[in-house]
Amino acid sequence: MASQDAKSVREKDAAALKDDISSLKKEQFNLRFQQATGQLEKSSRIREVRRAIARTKTVLREKSPKAKV
């Protein structure tokens, strides 16, 4: 998955955001596994994925009806 900016994330609906979180978490798991086995080539990708998960969760929380933003 390519890096996403906040504007493109905000354009998605809640279902798409949940799918994105799911795929990002799978990617994060695979990156951690590669790191543990010494096969990870681009270690900065772990940080990018972690921040993408946080960004997506933030936008999802903002879109929730309970949010008082």
Side-chain angles (χ1 to χ4, degrees):
M1 173 173 257
S3 178
Q4 300 175 345
D5 60 344
K7 186 176 182 179
S8 66
V9 173
R10 283 193 173 90
E11 293 172 353
K12 297 181 180 182
D13 63 338
L17 292 173
K18 289 179 183 179
D19 290 340
D20 285 351
I21 290 173
S22 175
S23 65
L24 285 167
K25 285 194 176 253
K26 287 178 186 177
E27 183 180 355
Q28 184 182 34
F29 173 79
N30 290 331
L31 290 171
R32 283 191 305 213
F33 195 85
Q34 288 175 6
Q35 186 180 32
T37 59
Q39 298 174 343
L40 185 63
E41 293 180 10
K42 189 176 179 186
S43 61
S44 63
R45 184 68 184 142
I46 293 174
R47 183 178 185 180
E48 292 171 3
V49 171
R50 191 175 68 233
R51 289 183 177 196
I53 291 170
R55 183 180 302 115
T56 307
K57 282 184 173 182
T58 300
V59 172
L60 187 61
R61 184 192 58 80
E62 287 173 355
K63 288 183 180 252
S64 72
K66 295 179 183 177
K68 297 179 182 178
V69 179

